[in-house]
Amino acid sequence: MSHTKIDIFDTTLRDGEQVPGCKLNVEEKVIIAQQLEKLGVNIIEAGFPISSPGDFKAVKEISKTIKTASVCGLSRSIQKDIDCAIDALKQAARPRLHTGIGVSDTHIKYKFKTTHEKIIERAVAAVKYAKNKIEDIEFYAEDAGRAKNEFLAKVIEAAIKAGATVVNIPDTTGYCLPSEYQEKIKYLVDNVRGIENVKIATHCHNDLGLATANSIAGIIGGAQQIECTINGTGERAGNTALEEVVMIIKKRFPNNFYTDINTKLLANTSELVSNSMGVYVQSNKAIVGENAFGHSSGIHQDGVIKHRENYEIIDPREVGYDNSKIILTARSGRAAVAYKAKALGYELTKKSLDLTYQSFINEADKYKEVSDSRLLSILKTIPSYSIV
Ligand code: KIV
Ligand code: ZN
């Protein structure tokens, strides 16, 4: 059985930053890039240099700072974009250019108002032009998710022949089902000459909530790079969440795939990105949401207290949290109250637990959650003879 390394390409600072209302300054971007490097990301997409002087500066500064990861800059298939991106990347230890063009019928007809043949010509011209200036070129076939596989294969083959080292197959509009996306990647593996000499990348958007599932389907189909963002941040419904694909690979495919990510840094990285962007992570978000390791109903709390794995498939310490959380609510039972009381220094007898629980449940009906300090106030009213 082969054990394939999956490169993690993080685009939090480019695609992820395209969230309405979110603007990171250059200093914030450099700090996030340094954290991504520590996390073990293989390629950091630092920005779209021609889009603004700020983005140019961010790519330039990140290029100077980052030593082990590749630093990538985006461009369209236009010479002045490519020149600008390469200029911004010039001090990078491992520079990568990300260039490409739309390949779906919709993009060709309504965005470029051109023909399929002309799209191939433009793709080839861009990659050839860039190849004289930079070695590592990732070609993106925008809206590949909705493109016909036969045409997509022709574009990808031409881009590889022109010098692309990585080919990115974006599901730009989040349209594909996992089975379709997997077949698309497999189709390219089986039908594109030269594909064995390059890496295939997934780049999935979350419009139907399938970005993570599609990225995993993509690596099963033969891709070796996943493009993603911290917290799944990004335009519209966002991009594939880095923490989700990394933990799926770790938990469900340990014999097939691996990544270089230090999963213990996921929680901190999520918090850094959320705070810098001013974008809250939803509380039920997988892996990094506030409630991802929180238990509030009596049956689950009792189960988790007896044995964590009854209701958790990930040890919270594996992703950088101290512990699971027992949250006291009106759904909590005696086991959770006794557990919390013990954590606060009160070992309760059966009698004292009964007394505490009666007061607790009245409070719990009034409030969404019974905090530690409220439980402490209750515990202070319990006669001391009934406490061990
Ligand atoms: O979603 C997309 O197609 C993109 C490309 C520019 C890579 O972000
Ligand atoms: Zn995208």
Side-chain angles (χ1 to χ4, degrees):
M1 197 185 294
S2 73
H3 198 219
T4 306
K5 174 169 165 187
I6 302 298
D7 281 345
I8 297 296
F9 174 118
D10 181 279
T11 182
T12 304
L13 299 174
R14 199 277 297 171
D15 224 349
E17 205 221 9
Q18 292 173 203
V19 175
C22 149
K23 186 80 200 93
L24 296 169
N25 62 37
V26 174
E27 290 70 32
E28 288 167 327
K29 286 188 181 183
V30 171
I31 290 169
I32 292 176
Q34 286 167 331
Q35 177 68 17
L36 293 173
E37 183 168 50
K38 254 200 261 166
L39 181 65
V41 160
N42 305 99
I43 306 108
I44 299 170
E45 187 162 51
F48 181 13
I50 199 143
S51 67
S52 74
D55 243 38
F56 181 89
K57 181 140 191 264
V59 176
K60 196 174 157 131
E61 292 305 316
I62 290 170
S63 296
K64 282 196 229 161
T65 315
I66 296 300
K67 295 287 169 273
T68 53
S70 296
V71 178
C72 180
L74 186 79
S75 79
R76 295 167 292 181
S77 280
I78 296 174
Q79 288 190 0
K80 68 174 181 353
D81 277 37
I82 294 171
D83 289 338
C84 179
I86 292 174
D87 190 19
L89 291 166
K90 83 179 163 224
Q91 292 174 79
R94 296 162 186 263
R96 176 180 292 183
L97 176 77
H98 194 188
T99 191
I101 195 162
V103 298
S104 65
D105 289 353
T106 310
H107 277 213
I108 295 170
K109 186 164 173 195
Y110 299 111
K111 185 171 150 182
F112 296 103
K113 300 182 175 38
T114 187
T115 62
H116 289 70
E117 291 68 34
K118 287 265 180 304
I119 289 289
I120 297 186
E121 277 172 28
R122 282 168 69 169
V124 168
V127 177
K128 277 195 172 154
Y129 177 77
K131 199 68 183 180
N132 287 320
K133 301 161 186 264
I134 190 166
E135 169 50 30
D136 193 7
I137 301 176
E138 175 169 335
F139 175 79
Y140 65 83
E142 195 182 9
D143 205 15
R146 290 190 295 173
K148 293 200 178 71
N149 288 349
E150 296 74 14
F151 178 66
L152 178 62
K154 277 192 195 158
V155 183
I156 294 299
E157 190 166 306
I160 294 171
K161 215 168 149 211
T165 45
V166 180
V167 290
N168 177 12
I169 314 302
D171 186 20
T172 305
T173 54
Y175 176 74
C176 286
L177 298 175
S179 56
E180 291 167 345
Y181 194 68
Q182 185 172 329
E183 273 164 32
K184 194 174 279 289
I185 302 291
K186 179 82 171 63
Y187 183 88
L188 298 175
V189 169
D190 293 341
N191 292 283
V192 171
R193 253 172 303 182
I195 198 105
E196 65 285 359
N197 303 320
V198 302
K199 285 193 176 173
I200 304 177
T202 69
H203 179 112
C204 299
H205 280 264
N206 204 31
D207 299 66
L208 291 173
L210 290 171
T212 294
N214 283 343
S215 303
I216 298 298
I219 59 172
I220 295 170
Q224 304 102 324
Q225 175 176 301
I226 293 181
E227 307 202 349
C228 46
T229 61
I230 300 294
N231 301 332
T233 184
E235 199 153 318
R236 307 189 308 279
N239 289 57
T240 301
L242 180 148
E243 59 280 4
E244 294 177 10
V245 286
V246 165
M247 289 313 291
I248 292 169
I249 288 171
K250 191 165 183 210
K251 290 280 136 186
R252 301 305 312 272
F253 298 97
N255 299 322
N256 310 82
F257 306 118
Y258 69 97
T259 72
D260 288 340
I261 298 297
N262 175 358
T263 61
K264 291 202 166 83
L265 298 180
L266 287 171
N268 279 350
T269 311
S270 162
E271 202 181 324
L272 172 70
V273 168
S274 161
N275 290 342
S276 314
M277 286 187 166
V279 176
Y280 291 105
V281 175
Q282 72 193 56
S283 55
N284 62 335
K285 165 85 185 57
I287 320 293
V288 292
E290 204 189 331
N291 295 341
F293 299 98
H295 305 274
S296 63
S297 79
I299 295 172
H300 287 212
Q301 290 175 329
D302 183 47
V304 149
I305 291 166
K306 283 181 176 138
H307 182 65
R308 193 188 56 72
E309 287 174 24
N310 278 331
Y311 287 100
E312 280 181 359
I313 56 162
I314 298 170
D315 184 332
R317 286 165 294 202
E318 247 183 285
V319 295
Y321 294 108
D322 292 339
N323 230 323
S324 317
K325 276 193 283 182
I326 297 291
I327 303 155
L328 293 184
T329 69
R331 301 289 146 280
S332 298
R334 282 175 167 68
V337 172
Y339 173 86
K340 276 281 195 175
K342 191 172 175 192
L344 294 170
Y346 289 77
E347 188 94 48
L348 301 177
T349 61
K350 174 158 182 340
K351 170 117 174 89
S352 60
L353 178 57
D354 284 345
L355 289 169
T356 308
Y357 191 75
Q358 270 167 24
S359 309
F360 158 78
I361 207 70
N362 292 333
E363 289 278 292
D365 264 339
K366 284 191 245 155
Y367 305 102
K368 286 188 179 144
E369 195 179 320
V370 176
S371 63
D372 285 1
S373 61
R374 209 163 260 147
L375 180 63
L376 208 50
S377 318
I378 296 172
L379 287 164
K380 285 185 179 150
T381 68
I382 304 299
S384 57
Y385 65 81
S386 63
I387 295 175
V388 179

